[in-house]
Amino acid sequence: MLEDSPFVQLSRQEMEELSERMSRYEIILKQMTDAIILVKDDGTFVGVNETACRLFRASQEELLQKNFQDYLYLVPEHIFQFQKRMLRKFGAYDDELTIRLTDGELKHVQLFMRRHEQQPFDVYIIRDITSKKALERERTVNETLFKDLFNYAGDGIVIFDEQGRFIDANPSFCASINVKKEDLFELSIQTFIPIEYHDLFDQLLLTLKRNGTVSSELPFISKDGMQKLFELTLTTNVHSGFFMAIMRNVTEKRDMEINLQRSEEQFRAIFEQAHEAILICDDFGNILRANPAASRTFELPLHDLVRANLRQFIDLKQDKVRHVLQQFFRDGEIRDELTFHMPNGEIKQLEFTSKKSVINGYHLTIFRNVSERRKMEKELREQEQKFRSVFNHAMDGIVLIDDQQRIFDANSVACRIFALPKEQLVEKCVHAFIGSNDLAKFQTWLKHGEEEEEFAITDGEGKKKIVELSFKPNIIEHVGLMMVRDITEKKEMEEQLRKSDTLNAVGQLAAGIAHEIRNPMTALKGFIQLLQGSIGNDCKQYNTYFHVIMSELKRIESIVTEFLVLAKPQAIHYERGDVAKIMQETVDLLSVQATMHNIQIEATYEQVPPIYCEPRQLKQVFINILKNAIEVMPNGGTITVSVEHVGDDIRIAIRDEGSGIPKDKIKKLGAPFYTTKERGTGLGLMVSYRIIEEHHGRIDVESEVGVGTTFYITLPINNDMR
């Protein structure tokens, strides 16, 4: 009864209609050529049609487990979120995307996104436009390639109609005839063709219409009146029934062909008239052609030389010959020289240049006889070796200088004299080493080329030296040779010898007269004392005279005593002594005298090792120098004394604040009877110099006028004086 009710019947009818409608929708959905996907807000697939399965290459069950974002590898997250916001805002959004399938293939798709207001999902309609995109890209590429080819081609390209009027032209054509593109559209091709070639151009057009293509050569006259020759290739129906001409300027090519012909004629003339031997050979060395100079070089008549083989003139067993042949066939060219054996027995050294496949695949070789030159070079090398041997092993320094006095070569002795390595000495000027006082003298001497002269120089280490120079200008063009000999030690030895001779003379003089002076002096002293005693106290006015006489006699006795020190060899007993202690004792001895002259002695002592010495003699040296320092400071001051350990030596420095000694007088210190004091004899310093020399030491003096003087006494620690 319930089933027969009108309500139930109505429900059945509605269900049938709904089922029928769903069936129609399902058929439509299956037949759709576009992929349809139902997507939740989080991107999960909730429904797909068969087209979507084909598009994504997956079954319906596999797709329903996927998320739309799984395929958006190439779409940034923020872009996809933007698309979803547009969908929610407007209810629909269309875009193009690139998706990536699970097998890695990329597809271009058109995406139509629709918002479903009553259901919790959105409808995505996806259309595969991959093929369309490929066609568009191919069309764009073809259009771009054609434009690039048209605009950037080196050959001229023009498009024209049946009457020859210009439709379009590329920049190369415009540049070749020197016309602007916009000026061409009012002209025709015939405008630029000489009138006598118009009939030929009309025939080319007829052939073009009949065959579709034609090629030829035509002259064109550019805007500036210059005639040029072009190769033309004409084609028909290129675009909308127009014609296209591809034109290449062959003017230079034709000129080159003419020049080539002339060059061939010139080559034949050069080949025949050349002074060098020229051969043309094949890969096996067979001589195919030779010039008259080759006949003279290889000592064969020309007809015999052409039938010969180049290899018969060389020794193929030699390593160099095999190497030359290998290099030639490997590199295609070579420049070298070899020894050639001529048929008449003569041996020649030939320099040659070979080029592979120069003339019709054959090889060209040019020979030059360098036998005489090599002989001369050998002699020059031998002379160079002799000169270099003398140059490098000479006992004196040798430098080669140019016209600006720049040194460009120097031997090892010169490097030692100038105290600079060769790479630093080269490019320096000789006059840079000459002292300022000798510079004018040096320039004058160098200009006049005098034989030998002595000059003071300052070497690379700042040391002063005396050198003897001799100069030979222009030994070769713009090159002078200067001999340099260091005579510093020689000068010092001469000075020492001079002093030694003076000392010997003084010693001999002292030995000869010391006793002769002492005997009458003793008598004088005795009789003066007797005379003074006999007068008594009655003549006090004579006491002053007696005092002066006795004082001067004592002074004479002191001088005679110092004479005897020089004259008689002393029996010296060397023992280990502390130089600092000896100096301290000397300073203590003279401190009272220094105080009386308002002078302070400031002394500093380092701990120095003991040395073998004669303490009393060293003390005498220190006393002499300190007394001199006190006497040159009449207004008082400070004397500085120091004892230092410097390397393998002990150095004693005594510095005063006196008036100083001029540089020209420092060298004379130590000479007998030379002194800078009014009442001095010079014997004190002479004795001091001798004592220090006997201790294997030396005395150096530095002084500045108005500032003071410093005496440096250097004593070796290991003086081997036991």
Side-chain angles (χ1 to χ4, degrees), residues 257-271:
E257 290 175 351
I258 295 172
N259 292 333
L260 180 60
Q261 183 178 358
R262 292 175 181 171
S263 297
E264 289 178 353
E265 294 174 356
Q266 292 174 355
F267 170 76
R268 282 193 293 270
I270 293 172
F271 184 81

Side-chain angles (χ1 to χ4, degrees), residues 39 43 45 56 66-72 80 111 124 126:
V39 183
F45 291 168
F56 288 97
K66 294 287 186 178
N67 189 298
F68 188 64
Q69 290 176 270
D70 294 342
Y71 298 94
L72 301 181
F80 182 65
L111 175 65
Y124 288 5
I126 302 175

Side-chain angles (χ1 to χ4, degrees), residues 156 171-179 222-223 228 230 247 249:
S172 293
F173 176 77
C174 296
S176 63
I177 62 173
N178 197 21
V179 176
S222 62
K223 187 177 180 181
K228 299 179 180 179
F230 285 87
M247 308 170 60
N249 187 351

